[in-house]
Amino acid sequence: MIKVSEYFDGRVKSLGQELAGQRFTVGIIEPGEYTFGTQTLEIMEIIYGEMDVVHPDGRHASYRKGQSFQVPRDTKFTVIAKQPVTYLCLYQ
Amino acid sequence: MIKVSEYFDGRVKSLGQELAGQRFTVGIIEPGEYTFGTQTLEIMEIIYGEMDVVHPDGRHASYRKGQSFQVPRDTKFTVIAKQPVTYLCLYQ
């Protein structure tokens, strides 16, 4: 079943499923700044648009369509979106 | 606003938004066979997984992550998914 989730008053929405045992979500983030906590290692790939990220170690980076980054488990990272940005997230 | 849509009894779900005037959806298709009608030229990109497609002209093709195809407006195409498949669709 495809699971629909909403966060931050609906400014972030995602669809979740599994493919060959790999849990994943695909989602859209509205313009704004959002801090997410991880429960697993997360591999985030930018599907459409771009985002700035503050990594758990304080490092800032920008990512655009086709680029990806990892976030360790049990940490927090912040996404800053100037325009709507679409992502794919794999939970490891 | 991020628009959540469901089709085929929830076996296809999508999130819709606009980026710089470009309408798009990102969605997940559960295993099965589905025929979609187009109202505009659609550019479909496979985000995760793979799908078989029967194009409006009857041509069959398979597409996997990173590949894309176009479907003309006012036509129908059929998606055959053996596993959940995630797509990005741009409406032109």
Side-chain angles (χ1 to χ4, degrees):
Chain A
M1 219 194 81
I2 304 166
K3 185 182 177 194
V4 180
S5 300
E6 300 196 8
Y7 308 93
F8 300 102
D9 292 323
R11 296 188 61 78
V12 177
K13 294 185 184 177
S14 71
L15 304 173
Q17 238 306 4
E18 263 191 39
L19 175 58
Q22 172 63 66
R23 281 199 308 129
F24 71 93
T25 56
V26 62
I28 301 178
I29 298 172
E30 298 271 38
E33 184 172 326
Y34 312 89
T35 297
F36 299 93
T38 65
Q39 296 180 313
T40 66
L41 170 67
E42 297 188 5
I43 301 173
M44 288 275 288
E45 179 183 338
I46 312 306
I47 298 306
Y48 194 48
E50 55 190 34
M51 64 171 72
D52 295 331
V53 174
V54 184
H55 286 273
D57 62 4
R59 184 169 43 96
H60 288 240
S62 295
Y63 301 96
R64 60 176 193 282
K65 182 172 173 59
Q67 296 185 313
S68 62
F69 60 93
Q70 294 192 8
V71 186
R73 64 175 290 175
D74 296 326
T75 58
K76 290 183 178 176
F77 68 106
T78 298
V79 170
I80 301 152
K82 296 186 185 81
Q83 300 287 336
V85 59
T86 303
Y87 67 89
L88 173 72
C89 185
L90 307 185
Y91 304 90
Q92 303 270 283
Chain B
M1 219 194 80
I2 304 165
K3 185 181 177 196
V4 180
S5 300
E6 300 195 7
Y7 308 93
F8 300 102
D9 291 324
R11 296 188 63 77
V12 177
K13 295 186 184 177
S14 71
L15 305 174
Q17 239 302 7
E18 263 190 40
L19 175 59
Q22 172 64 64
R23 282 197 309 128
F24 71 93
T25 56
V26 62
I28 301 177
I29 297 172
E30 297 271 38
E33 184 173 325
Y34 312 89
T35 296
F36 300 94
T38 64
Q39 296 181 312
T40 66
L41 170 68
E42 297 188 4
I43 302 173
M44 288 275 288
E45 179 183 338
I46 313 306
I47 298 306
Y48 194 47
E50 55 190 32
M51 64 171 72
D52 295 331
V53 173
V54 184
H55 286 272
D57 61 4
R59 184 170 42 96
H60 289 241
S62 295
Y63 300 97
R64 60 177 194 279
K65 182 173 174 56
Q67 295 185 314
S68 62
F69 60 93
Q70 294 192 8
V71 186
R73 63 175 290 174
D74 295 325
T75 58
K76 290 182 178 178
F77 68 107
T78 298
V79 170
I80 301 152
K82 296 186 186 82
Q83 300 287 337
V85 59
T86 304
Y87 66 89
L88 172 72
C89 184
L90 306 185
Y91 304 91
Q92 302 268 284

